[in-house]
Amino acid sequence: MTWDQDGSHYGRGPGLALEVDGREVARRATIGRLAVPVPRAPAPPYARPVNRAVQLVRGNFPRGEASSNTDPENVHDAIDGRLWFFPELPNGWSSAPAGGEQWYAVDLGRPMRLSRAELAFFADGKGFDVPERYRIQAWTGQGWRDLAAPAGRPVANGVTHVGWPAAAVSKVRLLMRQRPGRAVRLVELKLYEPD
């Protein structure tokens, strides 16, 4: 709603004007009541994807596995559904700071049709950084094959979205090349079915 006494302020004429979605729907020359029926717009559909990698109870499927720092609590923290980046309250799987490749895998316990992942990495500018490169792989029964090799650097202290053509997989692995002298902290790995 806008009021322009002589029309010079807004340049759309004098008086009181009422707009809905950027379009004028009512006007009067004096200040007073303006009533216009406004139809209710339907609510947009709300997507509720289910994270197929989340596990609240250690020992059940899905199960986390890792290339280093295999303490059960540390490994489980990357699939516990909690997502935060507080340096004073560590959360997630933290790799050893050794160079080369590290990996984190999720055994789903049965084949599931998946098409995307969300990765959350912690970085503090000191001992932890996002990986230089990473790939998402699926277990074929005979070996690991690439599902996605994203271009670009993953997001630090945020969520990186990765997609691939839908595939039925029972194990997913995140293969990472660490930056020299830095460890990787995978705060959370989420896996989703096609929308």
Side-chain angles (χ1 to χ4, degrees):
M1 191 173 294
T2 58
W3 165 254
D4 193 341
Q5 186 167 3
D6 62 6
S8 63
H9 187 74
Y10 294 108
R12 293 184 299 199
L16 182 65
L18 176 64
E19 294 181 8
V20 174
D21 293 332
R23 187 176 63 82
E24 187 175 301
V25 294
R27 177 177 284 279
R28 65 180 287 161
T30 60
I31 292 182
R33 180 181 166 103
L34 278 176
V36 175
V38 178
R40 181 179 298 266
Y46 183 73
R48 295 178 189 247
V50 176
N51 174 10
R52 295 300 179 185
V54 73
Q55 180 50 260
L56 303 177
V57 181
R58 280 185 300 284
N60 294 337
F61 288 107
R63 288 187 185 137
E65 302 168 358
S67 57
S68 65
N69 203 359
T70 58
D71 171 67
E73 185 73 26
N74 186 40
V75 172
H76 178 260
D77 282 353
I79 56 171
D80 65 1
R82 300 178 301 164
L83 183 65
W84 67 73
F85 304 99
F86 303 119
E88 58 280 338
L89 189 56
N91 180 41
W93 168 74
S94 298
S95 73
E101 290 188 327
Q102 296 280 326
W103 56 265
Y104 185 91
V106 178
D107 184 345
L108 299 164
R110 63 182 174 86
M112 293 186 187
R113 192 164 166 78
L114 303 174
S115 66
R116 66 185 184 92
E118 292 179 2
L119 312 172
F121 295 103
F122 172 77
D124 61 3
K126 300 173 190 167
F128 292 99
D129 201 352
V130 298
E132 275 184 352
R133 291 187 311 274
Y134 67 97
R135 297 190 317 248
I136 296 181
Q137 301 180 315
W139 179 252
T140 65
Q142 318 240 322
W144 294 98
R145 72 170 172 88
D146 287 351
L147 286 173
R153 186 173 181 191
V155 176
N157 301 325
V159 177
T160 301
H161 299 270
V162 184
W164 57 84
V169 298
S170 60
K171 291 184 182 182
V172 174
R173 179 170 80 168
L174 175 62
L175 186 62
M176 302 161 279
R177 174 159 299 280
Q178 297 185 135
R179 296 183 180 281
R182 301 290 174 96
V184 169
R185 178 174 295 153
L186 178 63
V187 174
E188 196 70 21
L189 177 119
K190 296 180 180 183
L191 299 170
Y192 295 100
E193 295 173 322
D195 294 329

